[in-house]
Amino acid sequence: MSTTTERRSGGLEVRSIDYVPLNERHGKVSHIGPLWFVSNAQIATLAVGLISITTGGNLVWSLIAIALGVLIGTLFMAAHSSQGPQLGLPQMIQSRPQFGYIGALLVWLFAYLQYAGFNIFNTILAGQAIKESLNVGSPNLWFWVVTIVAVVIALFGYDLIHAFERYLTYLTIAMLALLTIAAFHLTVPAGMFNLGDFHLVPFLGQLGVAAGYQISWAIYVSDYSRYLPPAKGRGTFAWTFWGSALGGIWVMFLGAYIAAAAGENFEAIGSIKSTADQLFGGFGAIALFVAALGLLSVTALNMYGGSLTLISSMDSLRPIRPTLKLRVITIAVTALISVILANLASEDFLANFNDFLLLVLYFFIPWTAVNLTDYFIVRKGHYAIAEIFKADGIYGRWGWPGIIAYLVGFVVMIPFFSAGKLFVGPVAHALDGADISLFIGLPVAAFLYWLLTRRLDVDAETRLAKAEADALEEAAHEHILP
């Protein structure tokens, strides 16, 4: 098989939701690790480690819950990453075989809300961090700067995103290592390392939130592995898992430790700065600037993924050709939504919108169960890829097994939801707010989907995929989808 670099126009990535042909596959599987390490090793992740501390747990059990939660959640997230090299498709377009050509819109709507919503928070945090670091301009000015730089990275696309994350990994590791040393200068209250002081509710709450946070990355992962050759699939899982898990655990640990020392005085940006300055004067500003670069990189990931999701949704309503012009427009739309709302956001808005985003994350727990069950158990990685882009293809307009399993999985989770001021289910209320919905929705949706697809003729799909393989490669090489 011959390999070439991906097709580009003026340096910009041309492909979006279309299949990546084998002769354009390239890159090293080891590049996946830095990307997911940096994506997780940023300020927004730090706050995930506070749940147990702020609800009455001690530090040692918080750390144990974080580690278990991250490892469990990353297992599912990394499994999605291995789909990219095998299928050569971005993540969300892969929902069509389970949900149907039109039915996939069900999950794409929530995916886009997550991309745009998290970008509001990332933009605000990055702008505030840069303002605090450089003490120049206003946060609103930096909101625009962060957005413009992220747009440029997203437009150049896959290769630049990987390169940016790789170089940023060195800075991030150095900053986190020094910040960890600085954190040891803090004093935590007595009893924080007492293993005998175990409280079930804070422990379950922290474990569930950490696992859920990792699973929230599931809608991203194949986007950044789909240009790799198919043979790299197994290595992709390992690099994604350890990159994401180590980044998440390290930063959540820091968040829990700093919060335990700060108590009620904890505030993400201010606490990072004051902790870093414990090591030497001025390090706080450096740490915040590096952290802002991490947020900028995640903002670019959200714009890139948001663009793919918008194009996928448009294609389901009316078949389109995924051109570079369409990429530019959809990235610009996603960027404008986040930067405008970031500039208009108030403190009350942020508090309430955070709860809203938590609700949005709930929608991806049954989706990841259905998608992974289909890929690893039902179809075992074999899909007629050309049919994914046909409104009248074998996957149909509505994939009822996927839709039913998804809806049932979501409904059984509702009593276990704990989304702050917006909604607390009866079971979560009885558990003093502990959220274990993840561990209910995942197995229910997965088992039901497997049950509903027992009569699926996978062999016929495999034969069709082989028959269409050559035509698929030729069409993709010409950048024309079937």
Side-chain angles (χ1 to χ4, degrees), residues 40 73 93 155-156 198 215 252 262 275 296 310-311 315 341 424:
N40 248 0
I93 202 75
L155 284 173
F156 279 88
F198 174 76
I215 287 179
M252 289 184 206
T275 300
L296 188 154
L310 264 187
I311 295 172
D315 186 65
L341 290 179
V424 177

Side-chain angles (χ1 to χ4, degrees), residues 4-16 18 20-21 23-24 26-27 151-164 166 223-224 226-227 304 323-325 327 331 476-477 479:
T4 64
T5 57
E6 65 187 283
R7 294 178 59 184
R8 291 182 168 271
S9 177
L12 304 182
E13 182 181 353
V14 172
R15 297 199 179 276
S16 58
D18 43 328
V20 179
N23 69 334
E24 291 183 22
H26 65 280
V151 164
V152 172
I153 295 172
L155 284 173
F156 279 88
Y158 183 94
D159 283 341
L160 181 58
I161 289 172
H162 274 274
F164 185 79
R166 283 201 305 278
D223 298 351
Y224 304 102
R226 73 189 197 277
Y227 281 91
Y304 186 88
T323 62
L324 173 60
K325 180 180 178 181
R327 274 197 76 232
I331 287 174
H477 182 67
H479 204 52

Side-chain angles (χ1 to χ4, degrees), residues 166-221:
R166 283 201 305 278
Y167 290 114
L168 189 53
T169 297
Y170 299 111
L171 275 177
T172 303
I173 290 176
M175 182 272 286
L176 288 177
L178 292 174
L179 185 60
T180 301
I181 295 171
F184 288 144
H185 289 79
L186 303 176
T187 302
V188 298
M192 278 290 175
F193 290 97
N194 181 10
L195 283 169
D197 187 21
F198 174 76
H199 298 284
L200 180 63
V201 171
F203 181 84
L204 290 177
Q206 182 66 75
L207 190 151
V209 169
Y213 183 79
Q214 292 302 102
I215 287 179
S216 73
W217 289 110
I219 67 172
Y220 298 69
V221 283

